[in-house]
Amino acid sequence: MLGPHTKHRPAKHPPPPMPVKEQIRDVSPSVPFRSRIVGAWRLESYTAYPTPDCKIQRPTFPMTKSVTGMILYTPDGYMSAQMLIPGQPKFKRGEGDEAQWAEAGKRYFGYSGPYYITEEENGKKETLRHTFQVCNLPGWVGDVQIRTHRWEEGGEVLVLGSEEPTEIKGDKRIPELKWRRMRDNSNAEPPPPIPQIHVHGPGEP
């Protein structure tokens, strides 16, 4: 009980919630790579760097600078990657002709399957492997490919590449894909539905 000369101590309130950026999981080196990689990542860039034998000695952008995409890593060891060149006129299933569907196929690349992280070189190296159980490129179904990896911006950006140069449009190049961590969406509200526009016909209100 407070007396007349007792100093009033303000009630303790819980600290305000951290900004979204501070809520992102710890990505310090002490955290296992498997824990750091789990989540959703948005594609920022896909660049192909030249090897000495390339005819064009400058970086190229195999899916244009406007490419969009997402890659997901689940806690139970599965992944999915999707990439898209935007800009094609829209059409719905059942409406497009063969040329439109062919164009849609050229603009899209996706695959999914289990991923594996193994410690190699006496624990000094963690190797990431993607498997292609599902892929829209038939020749890659069943593949297991190693992905080089490094962190940028304190773990906000995951940079993936291939262990060896890859043939891209006739040249052997070194691909590099930068993925930025997406915010936690588990408690987010769904967006409003897209409004349906009704075109009035003759005599309709």
Side-chain angles (χ1 to χ4, degrees), residues 25 35-41 71-75 181:
R25 72 178 74 242
S35 299
R36 293 153 65 187
I37 202 174
V38 165
W41 305 79
I71 191 168
L72 309 177
Y73 292 96
T74 68
R181 186 184 293 278

Side-chain angles (χ1 to χ4, degrees), residues 45-143:
S45 64
Y46 171 21
T47 308
Y49 292 94
T51 59
D53 296 331
C54 282
K55 299 175 184 177
I56 302 175
Q57 285 295 312
R58 59 175 173 77
T60 59
F61 304 92
M63 296 185 73
T64 76
K65 292 182 179 181
S66 302
V67 61
T68 62
M70 289 178 62
I71 191 168
L72 309 177
Y73 292 96
T74 68
D76 54 348
Y78 294 89
M79 59 77 56
S80 180
Q82 320 292 323
M83 299 167 62
L84 174 70
I85 302 173
Q88 183 179 10
K90 294 182 179 180
F91 66 93
K92 296 181 180 179
R93 184 171 59 181
E95 296 179 353
D97 57 27
E98 289 188 9
Q100 287 175 300
W101 281 105
E103 179 67 16
K106 291 177 181 179
R107 288 173 171 266
Y108 177 81
F109 176 66
Y111 68 95
S112 60
Y115 71 92
Y116 301 91
I117 298 172
T118 55
E119 291 189 358
E120 301 178 8
E121 298 180 7
N122 295 322
K124 297 179 181 179
K125 178 182 178 182
E126 290 178 303
T127 301
L128 171 64
R129 290 177 172 86
H130 289 176
T131 62
F132 291 69
Q133 282 195 351
V134 178
C135 182
N136 70 322
L137 189 61
W140 281 19
V141 174
D143 271 10

